[in-house]
Amino acid sequence: MTATPAPAAEADWLRLDRQICFSLHAASRAFNGVYRVVLKDLGLTYPQYLVMLVLWEHGELPVKKLGEHLRLDSGTLSPLVKRLEGAGLVRRERSMRDERSVDVRLTDEGAALRERALQVPRHIAASTGFGIDEINDLRDRLDRLTNALDSAALEGAPDSP
């Protein structure tokens, strides 16, 4: 007995170019390529730039809080922070409040780099070909998508015994 072929519309669901996850993945890789060029003058990689953005916005933070902002675990974040420390942009120190915690703060050089980084968003925006309203709308939609997927992942998690 042979399987009944799926209707054409349903068969298209498994095409690569129909997958939102792949579109997001491809866009992310394309962004990384543009950021690589733009950030070269700052001496930062894209993940390092994200760490710096959080520190420029919030100031000194425990590594755990920094990871929460970036949605990164400490195993991924620690090497990034170590490289930034080696470049003289941040300093790590044991917390005075809780010796189990490590705080990350900008050095004077790291704080000064913010001025040079102000041109990055303009370059990225220009690279998209989108207007500012389109960029803001896309970011808002992606934030809603992320929140929906986070909720779905929590709902789909197996119950604890």
Side-chain angles (χ1 to χ4, degrees):
M1 178 176 205
T2 60
T4 307
E10 191 174 310
D12 283 348
W13 291 354
L14 295 180
R15 288 178 45 131
L16 181 62
D17 64 351
R18 304 287 297 165
Q19 307 305 306
I20 188 171
C21 58
F22 184 72
S23 293
L24 289 168
H25 172 73
S28 178
R29 289 182 54 86
F31 262 114
N32 285 341
V34 173
Y35 271 104
R36 189 176 305 113
V37 172
V38 174
L39 295 173
K40 186 177 182 181
D41 290 341
L42 298 179
L44 297 174
T45 63
Y46 177 68
Q48 291 169 343
Y49 174 69
L50 295 179
V51 171
M52 296 300 289
L53 286 174
V54 173
L55 293 173
W56 288 327
E57 181 178 351
H58 296 283
E60 182 175 325
L61 286 174
V63 170
K64 183 176 181 178
K65 273 286 188 207
L66 186 58
E68 289 171 6
H69 283 287
L70 295 169
R71 301 174 66 107
L72 294 174
D73 61 43
S74 63
T76 302
L77 184 57
S78 290
L80 286 171
V81 173
K82 282 183 182 179
R83 283 193 288 283
L84 289 168
E85 186 175 38
L89 300 174
V90 303
R91 183 169 296 125
R92 293 177 302 153
E93 295 177 347
R94 286 265 166 228
S95 171
M96 300 294 252
R97 298 173 307 278
D98 178 358
E99 66 181 39
R100 296 169 297 172
S101 179
V102 174
D103 292 334
V104 181
R105 66 181 171 93
L106 294 166
T107 62
D108 290 343
E109 186 180 345
L113 186 62
R114 185 180 184 279
E115 282 302 310
R116 291 182 42 217
L118 288 172
Q119 48 81 24
V120 172
R122 277 187 229 108
H123 285 292
I124 298 302
S127 297
T128 67
F130 289 5
I132 192 69
D133 289 339
E134 290 174 296
I135 290 171
N136 288 336
D137 181 58
L138 177 59
R139 188 197 57 245
D140 291 345
R141 287 172 181 253
L142 289 171
D143 288 346
R144 283 192 358 240
L145 175 63
T146 300
N147 290 334
L149 293 172
D150 283 346
S151 293
L154 287 175
E155 290 170 8
D159 292 333
S160 301

